[in-house]
Amino acid sequence: MSTQTSELLAAAAPRTVDVVRGISDDQLDLPTPCSDYLVRDLLNHLFQVVVNFQDLAEKRQVEWAEKPDHLGDGWRDRFEVETGRLVTAWSKPSTVEGMSPRMPMPQTAIGGMALLDLTVHGWDLAVATGQPYHPAPEVVAHLHELVEQLGPTARKMGVFADPLPTPNLDPDLPPDLAHLLTQTGRTPTWPQTP
C-alpha cells in the first residue's frame, strides 16, 4: 500500500506543481472556489499541507495553528521541492502501517488526505487562475473511495461543504473529476452557478 500511496502522490504532484508554476504574482489576490481563500491564501494552505504531511508520514506532531507566509522569493521552486519531499516521505513502507498517532484514522487515510488536497486544490488554483488542469485518472478514481469514507466527518468538521448534485456541465471536464468536485462541495462550472 505504501507503494500505491507514493505512486499516486508521484502522479498527482507534477500536475499541481505545473499549476503553481503558472500562477503569476498579479493573480495572488484572485478569488478561488474555496470561498474563504484568495489564491495567495490557498497557496499558503497547500504549502502547509505539503510540509505537514511529510511529518505525518513519519508520525510526528504537526502544527496547524501557525499560518506562515510561504510566498517569499522563489516560492514556486520551493513548492516543487517540498512536494517532491512529500512523495519521498510517503514512499517508506512504515508510513502506511497502523493508525496515525496524531489523528484517529489509519495512516493510509492520512496519505490519502495529502493526495486529496494536492489534487482538489490543484483544480481550485487552476480554475481561479485560468489554467488547464488534468489530474491523473488513477488518482481521481482512488479519491472517490476516500471521499466517500471521509465525507461525513469532513462535512461535520467544515472541511467539505455538502455534496452538490451538479451535473457535469463542462464538456472539457472528465465526469470522474466533476463527481469528485461535487462530493467535496465544489461546483465544477465555477465561477458560474448551475
Side-chain angles (χ1 to χ4, degrees), residues 17-117:
V17 166
D18 285 349
V19 169
V20 169
R21 284 201 171 281
I23 296 172
S24 61
D25 289 344
D26 63 354
Q27 293 177 314
L28 294 176
D29 291 319
L30 293 176
T32 72
C34 299
S35 58
D36 295 339
Y37 292 131
L38 299 176
V39 168
R40 75 172 58 251
D41 304 320
L42 191 54
L43 282 166
N44 274 310
H45 168 71
L46 194 52
F47 252 110
Q48 189 176 31
V49 165
V50 166
V51 170
N52 281 357
F53 275 84
Q54 293 172 41
D55 285 331
L56 289 170
E58 300 294 338
K59 301 174 184 159
R60 292 190 296 254
Q61 183 66 42
V62 298
E63 180 54 62
W64 291 105
E66 293 178 14
K67 304 292 181 198
D69 184 0
H70 293 280
L71 304 186
D73 290 343
W75 59 267
R76 294 169 187 87
D77 290 335
R78 280 187 291 104
F79 181 79
E80 182 171 10
V81 168
E82 293 297 346
T83 303
R85 288 178 178 155
L86 174 72
V87 174
T88 300
W90 283 93
S91 66
K92 301 172 189 171
S94 61
T95 59
V96 292
E97 293 174 355
M99 298 291 288
S100 168
R102 305 297 168 211
M103 299 182 191
M105 60 181 64
Q107 275 290 108
T108 51
I110 302 294
M113 290 169 64
L115 181 67
L116 180 64
D117 269 24

Side-chain angles (χ1 to χ4, degrees), residues 84-178:
R85 288 178 178 155
L86 174 72
V87 174
T88 300
W90 283 93
S91 66
K92 301 172 189 171
S94 61
T95 59
V96 292
E97 293 174 355
M99 298 291 288
S100 168
R102 305 297 168 211
M103 299 182 191
M105 60 181 64
Q107 275 290 108
T108 51
I110 302 294
M113 290 169 64
L115 181 67
L116 180 64
D117 269 24
L118 204 57
T119 303
V120 173
H121 290 324
W123 178 85
D124 291 331
L125 289 167
V127 297
T129 59
Q131 299 183 63
Y133 182 65
H134 306 287
E138 67 272 24
V139 170
V140 175
H142 177 82
L143 289 174
H144 281 288
E145 183 179 330
L146 181 72
V147 168
E148 189 174 314
Q149 174 190 348
L150 298 179
T153 302
R155 289 182 196 99
K156 195 179 296 184
M157 296 173 62
V159 176
F160 293 170
D162 287 334
L164 299 173
T166 312
N168 183 8
L169 303 176
D170 183 346
D172 297 325
L173 196 67
D176 270 4
L177 177 58

